[in-house]
Amino acid sequence: MKKILVTGALGQIGSELVMHMRSIYGNDNVIATDIRRIDGNVAVESGPFEILDVKDAKRMAEIAKQYNADTIIHLAALLSAVAEAKPVLAWDINMGGLFNALEVARELNCAFFTPSSIGAFGPSTPSVNTPQDTIQRPQTMYGVTKVSGELLCDYYFKKFGVDTRGVRFPGLISYETLPGGGTTDYAVDIYYEALKNHKYSSFIKQGTYMDMMYMPDALNAIVTLMEADPSKLVHRNAFNITAMSFEPSQIAAEIKKHIKDFEISYNVDPVRQAIADSWPDSIDCTAARQEWGFSSKYDLASMTTDMLNKLSGKLNIK
Ligand code: VAH
């Protein structure tokens, strides 16, 4: 990877991945794009930034040619809860944008990464230690676009030889940007509320297990996969990866070790609860470990310590 075009660069993953990749490949070699510019944002100010609506195929191709991109990291998408509220827009952005990005990668012979998600599984998928290859009948628009995206990326590899690669991300937890519109966002919101108010009302009910990962491990996984030997990639797109699986009372108990009077309560959102119930409790990531050496560093305890330290600085709360 030498000239990397990132779409959705101001989102939860993009805002940190741009900085991570710039630290590895050089500021001028990572072109950040998003549908809007946020002046002062470090991803905008520390290197090339272009406004790009991923539904605009012509503009995407122009930017990729202008910067001689050899890699496209396509992150622009609507997340699960927003996609369920706006399913037509979600298909338009998640699939229309993906198709445009794959076409640019095909025309310019770019390597290509886009994330799938545990949202690509559904209620008929084995929910414990979910296999790499299994039933995928998601019942959310987000999940439909993720399964479709996995198949489209496989097609572009087999039909056109585009070097497509991807992972099925679990819920990602980070402190740089507030996540928007996801089902796993409770596991980010809880840290903010714990520091600000020493209490949190969870929209996901107690006992609801979901796979999760701290953002540093997600960033490392993307770079490791993109640098991996392609001859070793059997599954190529949509590798199951995870770092931990927990339910709301477990993250609350871990926070309580740092904030003694922290209390969790529950005010369940039926829409996001139904989405969470359709996802696995835990997934198997043997294929990722075997084919490109995936590993994760953070567990719930070490993530909680780091999240609370970083957020207390960001929120200026001692
Ligand atoms: C969401 N954070 O909740 C995203 C992710 C696995 C969850 O896809 O929609």
Side-chain angles (χ1 to χ4, degrees), residues 12 79-81 117-119 142 169-172 181-185 211 279:
Q12 186 192 16
L79 295 180
S80 57
S117 157
I118 58 172
Y142 180 71
F169 273 134
L172 297 183
T183 298
T184 58
D185 294 352
D211 283 284
W279 291 352

Side-chain angles (χ1 to χ4, degrees), residues 25-55:
Y25 302 104
N27 287 359
D28 292 340
N29 295 321
V30 182
I31 301 90
T33 71
D34 206 296
I35 197 165
R36 77 271 191 250
R37 180 188 182 91
I38 302 175
D39 288 329
N41 180 292
V42 66
V44 172
E45 305 300 346
S46 64
F49 178 85
E50 300 287 348
I51 291 179
L52 172 63
D53 177 342
V54 294
K55 299 200 300 300

Side-chain angles (χ1 to χ4, degrees), residues 272-295:
R272 285 183 284 189
Q273 185 61 43
I275 294 172
D277 287 341
S278 72
W279 291 352
D281 293 351
S282 61
I283 64 175
D284 173 65
C285 44
T286 304
R289 295 190 198 287
Q290 287 175 345
E291 297 177 33
W292 50 277
F294 165 71
S295 67

Side-chain angles (χ1 to χ4, degrees), residues 146-262:
K146 287 302 172 185
V147 174
S148 305
E150 291 180 11
L151 297 174
L152 195 58
C153 289
D154 280 343
Y155 180 82
Y156 267 73
F157 170 66
K158 288 188 171 54
K159 179 82 174 179
F160 303 119
V162 177
D163 181 6
T164 57
R165 306 185 190 194
V167 298
R168 289 176 187 137
F169 273 134
L172 297 183
I173 293 159
S174 63
Y175 55 84
E176 285 294 352
T177 58
L178 276 170
T183 298
T184 58
D185 294 352
Y186 89 88
V188 178
D189 299 341
I190 194 170
Y191 288 109
Y192 283 85
E193 291 304 311
L195 283 165
K196 288 191 288 190
N197 302 310
H198 292 212
K199 61 183 178 181
Y200 176 63
S201 177
S202 171
F203 57 76
I204 295 295
K205 75 171 187 283
Q206 185 172 3
T208 307
Y209 282 88
M210 288 188 273
D211 283 284
M212 300 282 182
M213 181 180 285
Y214 198 27
M215 187 60 80
D217 283 331
L219 304 181
N220 185 50
I222 294 172
V223 173
T224 305
L225 174 57
M226 293 309 286
E227 297 285 7
D229 175 356
S231 67
K232 302 268 191 333
L233 301 181
V234 174
H235 288 85
R236 182 162 281 280
N237 286 304
F239 284 95
N240 286 0
I241 62 170
T242 184
M244 57 193 103
S245 170
F246 57 73
E247 52 96 0
S249 71
Q250 291 175 306
I251 187 171
E254 201 57 45
I255 290 171
K256 237 173 135 64
K257 292 177 186 172
H258 301 263
I259 303 172
K260 303 298 179 207
D261 63 345
F262 173 73

